[in-house]
Amino acid sequence: MDFNDTHQESEFRATCRGWLEKNAQLKGGTGNDERYGRVDEHDFLNSARAWQKKKFDAGWAMLHWPKHYGGLEASAIERIIWGQEESKFNVPRGVYEIGLGMAGPVMMQYASDQQKARYLPPMAAGEEIWCQLFSEPSAGSDVAGLRSKAVQDGDDWIINGQKVWTSGAHFCDYGIIVVRHDPNIEKHAGMTFFFVDMKSPGIDIRPIKQITGGSSFNEVYFNDVRIPDSQRLGAIGDGWRVAITTLMNERLAVGDANGADAKEAFEWAQGQDDHGQPMIKNSGVRESIADWYCQASGLKNTKLRTMSALSKGDTPGPEASITKVVSANKLQAIGNFGIDSLDMAGMLKTDDADVHSFHDAWLGSAGLRIAGGTDEILKNIIAERVLGLPQDPRADKGLAFKDIPSGN
Amino acid sequence: MDFNDTHQESEFRATCRGWLEKNAQLKGGTGNDERYGRVDEHDFLNSARAWQKKKFDAGWAMLHWPKHYGGLEASAIERIIWGQEESKFNVPRGVYEIGLGMAGPVMMQYASDQQKARYLPPMAAGEEIWCQLFSEPSAGSDVAGLRSKAVQDGDDWIINGQKVWTSGAHFCDYGIIVVRHDPNIEKHAGMTFFFVDMKSPGIDIRPIKQITGGSSFNEVYFNDVRIPDSQRLGAIGDGWRVAITTLMNERLAVGDANGADAKEAFEWAQGQDDHGQPMIKNSGVRESIADWYCQASGLKNTKLRTMSALSKGDTPGPEASITKVVSANKLQAIGNFGIDSLDMAGMLKTDDADVHSFHDAWLGSAGLRIAGGTDEILKNIIAERVLGLPQDPRADKGLAFKDIPSGN
Amino acid sequence: MNLDFSDDQKFLQSEARKFLEKEQSIQKSRSVLDTKQQYDKDLWAKVLEMGWTGIRIPELYEGLGLGHLELCVIAEELGRSLAPVPFSSSVYLFTEAIIKFADEQIKSEILPKLISGECVGTLAITEQLFAPTENNIKVSVDNNQITGTKIAVPDASVATHVLVICKSELGSDLRLVDLTNNNCEVHDQDTIDNSRGHSLIEFNNANSQLVGDAGGGWALLQNILNQAAVLFSFEQIGGAQATLDMASEYAKQRFAFGRAIGSYQAIKHKLADMYIGLTLAKSNTYYAAWALLNDSTELEVAAATARVSSTEAFQFCSKENIQTHGGNGFTWEYDCHLFYRRSKLLSLNIGSLAAWKEKLVSGLERSNLNSSQ
Amino acid sequence: MNLDFSDDQKFLQSEARKFLEKEQSIQKSRSVLDTKQQYDKDLWAKVLEMGWTGIRIPELYEGLGLGHLELCVIAEELGRSLAPVPFSSSVYLFTEAIIKFADEQIKSEILPKLISGECVGTLAITEQLFAPTENNIKVSVDNNQITGTKIAVPDASVATHVLVICKSELGSDLRLVDLTNNNCEVHDQDTIDNSRGHSLIEFNNANSQLVGDAGGGWALLQNILNQAAVLFSFEQIGGAQATLDMASEYAKQRFAFGRAIGSYQAIKHKLADMYIGLTLAKSNTYYAAWALLNDSTELEVAAATARVSSTEAFQFCSKENIQTHGGNGFTWEYDCHLFYRRSKLLSLNIGSLAAWKEKLVSGLERSNLNSSQ
């Protein structure tokens, strides 16, 4: 047990760090912290584009990719080292993650060499932004219950239907999409996977207003949208197999809930309560902070164990499923604690950054417990994949998709 | 809203009270409290028998029964009033509840007039004690999964198999039993209900040692036990229908967990902690006590609402299912609190009555969360019967019993 | 033995529910939230027509002279329907305080107008980002003139009168201020639930009249809050019941993997837990209603018990109702968040959960002390 | 980056597991519980043969001179198998304290005998039915002679030596007492888990030797407990893992309503919650092992974090393992209760959960203070 890099790792870290120091600013310090305050979307996209391009030019954008697509053929542990170092710098985030994390691997595995040469470099360079189009109004936890239709028409496919929860659809150039080409066969067999030009005629994008007031997700309507068969990824009927790897990537990638954590609760509790005593003197508050600290620390150390496995070349298991369950629920509890600590005044929206972060936590956590796999789905995954418990009986097993009970 | 009896109720209460005062001692006072210390079983049975006989002679034993079986034809609310008054007195409990509560109603509904005349009065008088024989090693929550066999032989049935969790089997005279007469048909259709003389040849009773160290339950083995067909209750194949009413009676009757409650935790917390301060000064302790008090008070007031409905002649719903779930879990938490409050010394078994009751609570609650319907089964009942949610898909539906997957 | 409402009270409740459904109270609440209108004028006018503001006001002052239970059943329906009207401030807090503590002159002047809506009242307590206590309030009175700033005052933008707890020579006073004709400035404040209006009030030597004993304001305030806690608990159990109903309905209709999500035990047991919490809270709140009706010595503990369990029940139910709705539950379009917001507002408006747990245990300590004496 | 054990350490662990399975450690634990034998002599003799008692003892004193990590993996296996031997008292508490704080004379006299089992040590702390503090301990030393009563001393009936925390002229001392040749009476005590022996010790002017600084005993004790907390956490995660494994296995094999109970979400999610708690605890405990190995300044907080999360994990897992087993889980015959009892014992033996949460937050306060200076 030690937390030191190997010699090789340490050299790699120094290289990352050197480049980052030249090209970005360390977090903290003077007013760089974007914790509070919204940035104009247009400006933010421009700054994200610029940063992505800079990284691409230096090879960092998709460092594990082959060199001819702009990568460095880096190892898993090197990716993590890069990620650790980059996270210490104040750089724009949130625009490219889905495209690079989900569309990237699928294109790499299923697209033709010609398509890869055409699409991968601009994806990595941030010149083209990608989104994913999986969820539908009647297909949430049960993604494979999707109903959007693809009908073959000569060398094209014609897509009709509705997708939801598409992050960034309104500024994306391309999307990966899974649709149903045959409702008359078993549900998982009737799907096919494509990539689609988001500027195609017939695509209508509408923002979804969330309970936080934000609208980072969209509904995407497809009305007779035409996709050439050459944009099919995988065989006809292989859509689920292609999608499932992508989904696992998503569910594993959905990490720690951002926002107030044990540390913030601890710092907040240094403030005074109604009797002029620091809240931290209250033994109930102390117990809560101890619990949150143990959870936060447990997640951090679980990540270190995962990295240890990666560092040795092992493949980590589905343990990462616990991160979101634990951190989203912790966030909800901490948000609630922060608000309640203000007593009657806790209801007020104020300019105070801490109060603001507790309000955000309390509202946002309600969504985090759902997005990218609900608490319930993730616990199923743990029970079935980690503990080996048997599946729930499947009411949809062996039925043609059109015959599966849907309540309608 | 008021908590006063009606004129009629108040007169009835006075009658109960008058009789009880003449025949028993009020709880509390001088050393009558049997909270701590075990009583010899033989002595206890004798004292229970004597008390039951006294009640029977005065009509109180089964006061809602017809007069010719020794009852008073009392209403539901009168039963409750009697129960409230009796509970204030220090009288033996725990011997007759199952027989009178479960075997009584079944015999009343299904036995012949002759059998009723023979068995009901001695049952009520406490001269004959009854038990119930439903659960089996492979049929716990799924009671209908029972495998004990009944094979018809002339005018008799021959019973083979094993029952478990039979309370008091070793001192009982008769038992009600449900067994499988046909494994080749659907599970619920293949059962038949009997009553059986517990002294019959072929019955072998072995105590089950529980984790508390006590052995109030038994395994009961049946080896070619012969029961005359005249002791069948209900038609052949009606066993489940007969059993289910009995079971509902049990699940509703399983009430508050006995033992340390919010009040005891509050009183205990008046004691000193390591700093010589009463524990009650600790805000974490205060919060826990508030939570337990709200639960205890919520259960008490829910009972008052149920009685209000009874008092008006309404039938109360399955709300009582919540009592056991809440009180058993509360008991486990309070037991844990009491033990932990002693820090390192909490592990010690001592003669202190409070410490003893916390140890009992911590161990016993683990069984209370299971007995008479697990937390999980009771929540299913609430979800399905109260909230109207659909059943889990049934893997055993429509199958012959012998074809139902059993893991063996 | 009767821990239930009378048939007349149940009829009143059922009529109230029908009225609020017909008036689309929940949609109106959404509209107030979206537009930050502070309250719905139309619905408020109709509530006044229904005469609910006069339920508890004695007939001498043109009210209906009924008991608290009639108010309780109305409160449950207002909670269930998220009614965006200044009812709770004007009735539970202000009117109740005037009836109980004001002198004859104030009563005869104000009570009839509270029924008609010509007057609307509220109560101003908090000043800072922590719990108010008798020692930390700074708004003060000098020669009947009040100076200082109160925050998070409910419905202040529509109120004509406000009761103010303030520091006075003899301790603390409860004082009545006419907001329409005085040195007061009212500024609306954003809250976590903008479907109910809240404001900051600046008092600049505002004229005031004493209500109740001089110097004894803090005890009066506690009395008012204990009573109001019972009524707010009814709003909370109404809200909790609404979210449990929503969640159950959705769980029956929403299918995943070929069956209703309500057939999965994870959802079943979640909803059973909601039901358990709600049932305990409802029973405690009924008991507190009895204590309120009878002005029982048990009111303090009973009110705190009702408040704590209803606050927990509504917060839990509204939170898990979102979860049951999955992605839809997190959209602005579905009503789930309206209840989630309201549950938080109601958990804070007369003091936090922690503060009420503390009141509960303090109450137990006092009654323990009394019984052991 | 390596938060994992080495291949050698894993091999040692795997051998330990095989050994304890072969020796039927769990059944032996049950037998000690049933017969109140205090410990299993046969198993203890074999553990001594394995040389585990000498893992951390320097080669100078005939030990193996290994680091803490080797002890950690052994502890995890002892916890998993409920081993009924005086290992934790003699090794985690006593041996570690002697290595760290005793003088050369004591070390050379005792350490070799601790390896062979000729000596067995323990630590006597508590005296009353509440948490011991430096101010409330009453056992005292005068002229090197100790007088007073300690309770709940682990393995005292087999121990030859005991370290005693006692009140002294300069504060508190940590003192070594030879139990075989002294004015000490040892009386066995019943506990919630009789598979591990505990006793009361009466000291009547018992001769003693000072260990460490005179007057500074309390600080030494805290240091010993912080180190031991990491090792006990390994026992706890071992126990928690065993109960999760039992529950998973049972849930796969036990059928109800025609399918394995592990296919019901109520059971699935219960087991997932057990897994989550255990995983967090395990990761925290690994980190604490690193801190222990490196005698890091983070040890205090890391040990408390490990202790709190392992205590909660083992208690939760052992409790819900019973629930998963239904009626069988509540029988003496099944092993579930052995783990439930052990989880309680281990949650108390070096101080309660509340006490360790307090240590954790106090530690955070101190490091906060340091970092802000």
Side-chain angles (χ1 to χ4, degrees), chain B residues 2 4 286 297 302 308 384, chain C residues 1-3 268 283-284 358:
Chain B
D2 69 84
N4 298 326
R286 294 174 88 77
S297 164
T302 300
S308 306
E384 293 173 13
Chain C
M1 170 48 54
N2 185 15
L3 185 52
K268 278 190 191 186
S283 300
N284 283 333
E358 179 50 38

Side-chain angles (χ1 to χ4, degrees), chain D residues 20 26 41 56 79 112 137 153 169 194 200 236 261 280 308 325 342:
Chain D
L20 290 161
I26 295 176
K41 281 182 190 160
R56 281 265 302 133
I137 47 172
V153 184
E169 222 171 280
N194 279 328
L200 171 155
Q236 291 170 307
I261 62 169
L280 298 180
V308 168
H325 277 73
R342 183 62 62 88

Side-chain angles (χ1 to χ4, degrees), chain D residues 38-142:
Chain D
Q38 307 294 312
Y39 75 112
D40 189 280
K41 281 182 190 160
D42 173 54
L43 184 60
W44 178 231
K46 285 179 174 151
V47 164
L48 291 167
E49 273 173 39
M50 300 288 285
W52 295 348
T53 43
I55 287 177
R56 281 265 302 133
I57 295 178
E59 289 171 78
L60 177 64
Y61 308 106
E62 303 165 32
L64 299 173
L66 295 168
H68 278 107
L69 297 188
E70 284 72 16
L71 203 49
C72 290
V73 297
I74 297 291
E76 186 170 348
E77 295 313 312
L78 294 170
R80 188 192 311 267
S81 63
L82 301 175
V85 289
F87 192 85
S88 53
S89 335
S90 193
V91 178
Y92 316 159
L93 295 170
F94 187 83
T95 305
E96 288 290 318
I98 296 296
I99 292 175
K100 200 156 180 183
F101 301 118
D103 61 30
E104 192 48 41
Q105 184 221 330
I106 295 177
K107 281 187 190 175
S108 55
E109 186 185 323
I110 289 188
L111 288 176
K113 295 183 183 166
L114 284 167
I115 302 173
S116 66
E118 201 179 326
C119 284
V120 171
T122 185
L123 177 65
I125 310 172
T126 203
E127 305 175 5
Q128 307 270 353
L129 298 183
F130 41 71
T133 64
E134 185 163 19
N135 295 323
N136 71 23
I137 47 172
K138 290 182 182 146
V139 169
S140 61
V141 61
D142 185 25

Side-chain angles (χ1 to χ4, degrees), chain A residues 1-6 9 13 77 84 266-267 270 280-281 283 286-287 289-291 293-305 307-309 311-312 314 318-319 322 325-326 375-380 382-384 386-393, chain D residues 1-7 9-10 69 234 244 247-249 251-252 259-260 262-265 267-269 271-273 275-276 278-287 289-290 293-294 298 301 304-306 308-309 312 354 357-358 360-362 364-365 368:
Chain A
M1 270 185 199
D2 70 84
F3 293 116
N4 297 327
D5 291 326
T6 62
E9 286 164 3
R13 191 183 296 279
I77 192 71
Q84 289 177 330
F266 175 77
E267 282 164 7
Q270 309 302 318
I280 194 73
K281 296 284 172 212
S283 64
R286 294 175 88 77
E287 281 177 37
I289 286 173
D291 290 339
Y293 184 84
C294 286
Q295 290 181 342
S297 164
L299 290 177
K300 188 190 79 188
N301 293 323
T302 300
K303 252 179 236 154
L304 292 179
R305 288 171 59 210
M307 283 170 51
S308 305
S311 174
K312 290 182 195 160
D314 296 349
E319 297 84 15
I322 74 171
V325 177
V326 175
D375 288 357
E376 289 75 19
I377 290 289
L378 294 174
K379 287 186 185 178
N380 271 357
I382 292 168
E384 294 173 11
V386 184
L387 304 177
L389 297 177
Q391 273 209 332
D392 251 272
Chain D
M1 169 49 54
N2 185 16
L3 185 51
D4 197 2
F5 291 97
S6 70
D7 289 343
Q9 288 152 359
K10 287 180 183 173
L69 297 188
F234 274 95
L244 175 57
S248 301
E249 203 46 44
K252 288 172 202 170
R259 53 182 170 113
S263 70
Y264 292 96
Q265 281 187 339
I267 299 293
K268 277 189 191 184
H269 290 195
L271 267 55
D273 287 337
Y275 173 81
I276 289 170
L278 170 57
T279 302
L280 298 180
K282 191 178 280 185
S283 301
N284 284 332
T285 302
Y286 277 32
Y287 189 79
W290 171 85
L293 178 68
N294 292 280
E298 290 181 55
V301 168
T305 304
V308 168
S309 44
E312 289 189 333
K357 284 189 180 176
E358 180 51 38
L360 169 50
V361 179
S362 307
L364 291 177
E365 287 175 317
N368 196 45

Side-chain angles (χ1 to χ4, degrees), chain A residues 221-407:
Chain A
Y221 292 83
F222 287 79
N223 299 300
D224 290 332
V225 175
R226 204 164 266 276
I227 305 186
D229 187 60
S230 60
Q231 291 183 197
R232 175 161 48 76
L233 297 171
I236 295 173
D238 264 3
W240 183 245
R241 199 177 316 163
V242 179
I244 196 74
T245 26
T246 320
L247 275 175
M248 285 313 299
N249 278 338
E250 185 195 16
R251 284 185 181 154
L252 294 180
V254 172
D256 252 339
N258 279 319
D261 206 335
K263 183 167 174 285
E264 284 72 25
F266 175 77
E267 282 164 7
W268 177 250
Q270 309 302 318
Q272 298 192 346
D273 74 359
D274 52 340
H275 302 289
Q277 285 268 346
M279 284 177 261
I280 194 73
K281 296 284 172 212
N282 178 301
S283 64
V285 170
R286 294 175 88 77
E287 281 177 37
S288 296
I289 286 173
D291 290 339
W292 296 324
Y293 184 84
C294 286
Q295 290 181 342
S297 164
L299 290 177
K300 188 190 79 188
N301 293 323
T302 300
K303 252 179 236 154
L304 292 179
R305 288 171 59 210
T306 304
M307 283 170 51
S308 305
L310 278 172
S311 174
K312 290 182 195 160
D314 296 349
T315 312
E319 297 84 15
S321 303
I322 74 171
T323 303
K324 195 180 76 95
V325 177
V326 175
S327 63
N329 282 278
K330 168 159 55 64
L331 185 66
Q332 200 164 27
I334 291 174
N336 200 55
F337 156 75
I339 292 174
D340 275 16
S341 72
L342 300 165
D343 201 73
M344 300 187 199
M347 68 174 77
L348 295 173
K349 288 190 185 167
T350 78
D351 286 340
D352 181 277
D354 291 316
V355 174
H356 196 272
S357 91
F358 289 130
H359 276 240
D360 273 358
W362 181 80
L363 272 174
S365 58
L368 277 168
R369 288 180 51 204
I370 295 163
T374 61
D375 288 357
E376 289 75 19
I377 290 289
L378 294 174
K379 287 186 185 178
N380 271 357
I381 291 178
I382 292 168
E384 294 173 11
R385 308 237 178 104
V386 184
L387 304 177
L389 297 177
Q391 273 209 332
D392 251 272
R394 293 289 295 257
D396 50 3
K397 202 163 191 168
L399 296 181
F401 179 76
K402 67 179 171 48
D403 299 327
I404 294 172
S406 69

Side-chain angles (χ1 to χ4, degrees), chain C residues 83-96:
Chain C
V85 289
F87 192 85
S88 54
S89 338
S90 194
V91 178
Y92 316 160
L93 296 170
F94 186 83
T95 305
E96 288 290 318

